[in-house]
Amino acid sequence: MQFRDLHRQYEAMKAEMDEAMLNVAASGAFIMGPQVAGLEQLLAEYVGVKHCISCANGTDALTLALMALHIGPGHAVFVPDFTFFASAETIAMVGATPIFVDVDEDTYNIDIADLNEKYYDIIENSSLIPKAVVAVDLFGQPANYKRLHEFCSGLALHLIEDGAQGFGGSIDGRRACSFGDISTTSFFPAKPLGCYGDGGAIFTDNDEWATLLRSLRVHGKGTDKYDNVRLGLNSRLDTLQAAVLQVKLRHFGDELKAVNHVAQKYTELLQGKVKTPVVPEGYTSSWAQYTIQVENRDEVQARLKAASIPSMVYYPRTMSQQTAFAELGQQPCPAASRLSQTVLSLPMHPYLTDNEIETIASHIINHN
Ligand SMILES: *Cc1c(COP(=O)(O)O)cnc(C)c1O
C-alpha cells in the first residue's frame, strides 16, 4: 500500500497525460509556453480571484508574496508553530522575524486568541513592527479566515494564506487560496493538486501586487527585458508542469469527492476510538492529510508498519523547536508541542478503496 498513490492516479489519466506531455516535448516551448498562461487563467477562475501568477514551487510563492508586500528586516510576521518549515523559513529568509503562534487542537490551524496575545506582546516588549500574518491551511483545511480578516484589518496587518496544502478546500462555498490579501500554493507531487516535479502559484485580486509579482518571479524585469528594475528570483513554472496540471485540474473535482469519501469512511470507523479530524460547519477540506491523534503513537505506527501500511508523522517538531530557529529563543507553544507528540497521518489519496480503508482502521483499533 502507498501513502499517496501517484501510480494509480497516472493510470487513471494516462492517455490524456501522455498526450499533453508529448505535445510540450514536440513544441520545444519549455519555458513560458502557452500552457503556463492557460493554466494561470484556469486556476484564477477555479479559485475565484483576479490574478494567478505561477512560479517554481510553494516556497518561492511565499517568498515572492512577502517580497511584494515589502516585508523585511525589523518586521514581525506571525505564523503557526505547527506547520511545514517553509511557512516560517521564508519569513526569516526575507529578513523579517517569524513569531510562532499556537494552533487549535481540533483544526490544527492558527489559534486567534494566542495570535492576539503574541501581537500585543510584540507591540509592548519589542522594537519589531508587526506586518503580516501567514495563516496555513494545514492538512487541507482552510484556517478561520472570518476571524483572521477581522483581526488583520483592525490592526492593518497583511494576511497571507499559505494554501500549499489547502488548494481545493472551501469556506461557505468560497475556495481556498482566495482568503489572503495574497495567497500561495504548491504543486509538489504529494499536495492535493500536484504536478510531476516542483511547482507553485500565487493568487491575488490586487492589480499592483500582481504586476509586481510577475516582475519579481523573473529577475525583477521591467517592461524592457534587459532593464531589470528591481532584484527578483528566477522562479517560473515549467511548461511541462503547466501541461500536467491542466490535465490534473480536469480530474480534480472527482478527486476531491473521492478524498472526502475516504475521510468520511475513516471517521466512521475510527470515531470514538482515536481523535479524528474536526471539520467545522461550512468548511470543506481537500484532505492533503488525514491526521489522527493517539497517545501511543509509536505502538500504533509499529502495528501499521508490520501490516505494510505506511503512516507519517507531520510534524514531529514545532517551528520553535527547529534548530534553525533556536537563536530566536521562542518558547514552544503548548498545543503545538502536544500535537507533535501525538499526530499520525494515514494513507490518503483519491484511489484508496473501501477495503483498504477498513484494513487500515482495523490495525489502528485492534490491540492484540
Ligand atoms: C509543501 C508546503 C510548502 C512549500 O511548498 P514547496 O512546493 O515544497 O516549496 C509551504 N507551506 C506548506 C504548509 C507546505 O505544506
Side-chain angles (χ1 to χ4, degrees), residues 57-59 83-84 86-87 136 162 164-165 186 191 199:
N57 56 68
T59 305
T83 181
F84 178 63
S87 311
V136 180
D162 177 357
Q165 300 182 16
S186 162
K191 306 283 168 153

Side-chain angles (χ1 to χ4, degrees), residues 147-165:
R147 294 198 50 206
L148 282 165
H149 270 292
E150 280 167 18
F151 181 84
C152 290
S153 57
L155 297 167
L157 293 170
H158 290 303
L159 178 57
I160 298 173
E161 175 184 5
D162 177 357
Q165 300 182 16

